[in-house]
């Protein structure tokens, strides 16, 4: 299958079996976003998900609360797992959030994609350099 995204379509004969509730960093429940997925697909993409869903101390809940990221970053990670076309033309802050998820879930392919994107960016304007510097100072 070239595009696993078809599994997420409501017409798919293979139902999702895990739900993530992403709560934005402000902690407000009103800022939560729901993502449905398949444990098996996530486990193939990430040894962390593999352990979480199929390891000795596996997660038994069908809903997992995620509080340490943004909706956009989590959506990018899910899109990457399901082989959707992921565009990384975003702020350095958003890229940093994606890198955090790639590290947290040990997704080397997503990390590689972000690194390749960053390497291709020209750092030739003062504004870009200032944004990178400010971001570096926020996350020591």
């Amino acid at each position: 299958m070239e595009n696993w995204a078809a599994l997420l379509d409501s017409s798919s004969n293979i139902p999702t079996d895990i739900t993530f509730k992403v709560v934005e960093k402000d902690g407000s429940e009103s800022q939560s976003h729901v993502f449905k997925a398949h444990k098996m697909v996530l486990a193939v993409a990430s040894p962390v998900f593999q352990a979480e869903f199929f390891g000795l101390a596996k997660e038994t809940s069908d809903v997992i609360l995620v509080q340490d990221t943004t909706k956009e970053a989590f959506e990018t990670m899910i899109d990457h797992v399901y082989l959707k076309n992921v565009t990384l033309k975003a702020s350095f802050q958003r890229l940093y959030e994606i890198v955090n998820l790639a590290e947290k879930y040990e997704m080397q392919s997503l990390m590689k994609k972000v690194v390749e994107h960053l390497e291709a960016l020209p750092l030739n304007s003062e504004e870009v350099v200032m944004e990178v510097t400010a971001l570096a100072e926020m996350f020591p």
Side-chain angles (χ1 to χ4, degrees):
M1 180 178 263
E2 285 184 25
N3 187 349
W4 291 87
L7 293 172
L8 295 174
D9 190 273
S10 60
S11 65
S12 173
N13 292 330
I14 303 172
T16 59
D17 57 357
I18 192 70
T19 300
F20 293 92
K21 185 176 181 183
V22 177
V23 179
E24 293 286 344
K25 284 187 173 181
D26 65 6
S28 169
E29 282 293 322
S30 64
Q31 293 295 322
S32 66
H33 308 278
V34 174
F35 296 89
K36 295 188 176 288
H38 302 83
K39 291 178 182 178
M40 185 67 74
V41 174
L42 295 171
V44 169
S46 161
V48 175
F49 282 131
Q50 183 179 25
E52 187 172 357
F53 299 140
F54 302 104
L56 294 175
K58 62 184 172 188
E59 177 66 49
T60 57
S61 175
D62 292 337
V63 179
I64 296 176
L65 185 64
V66 181
Q67 296 179 308
D68 57 351
T69 192
T70 62
K71 169 195 175 277
E72 293 80 10
F74 199 84
E75 184 172 31
T76 298
M77 182 189 74
I78 294 293
D79 287 350
H80 173 77
V81 168
Y82 280 87
L83 304 177
K84 289 185 178 182
N85 187 17
V86 174
T87 303
L88 295 175
K89 294 179 181 173
S91 70
F92 285 102
Q93 174 68 38
R94 179 165 170 239
L95 291 172
Y96 183 80
E97 294 287 343
I98 295 166
V99 165
N100 278 342
L101 287 173
E103 285 182 345
K104 177 180 179 177
Y105 295 109
E106 297 178 20
M107 291 188 179
Q108 298 304 317
S109 59
L110 180 57
M111 182 67 79
K112 181 180 177 187
K113 188 176 280 193
V114 173
V115 168
E116 289 172 353
H117 173 74
L118 288 171
E119 288 175 343
L121 287 178
L123 294 178
N124 57 2
S125 77
E126 185 177 334
E127 181 180 329
V128 171
V129 172
M130 294 301 288
E131 185 177 358
V132 171
T133 302
L135 186 61
E137 289 173 356
M138 286 173 55
F139 304 99

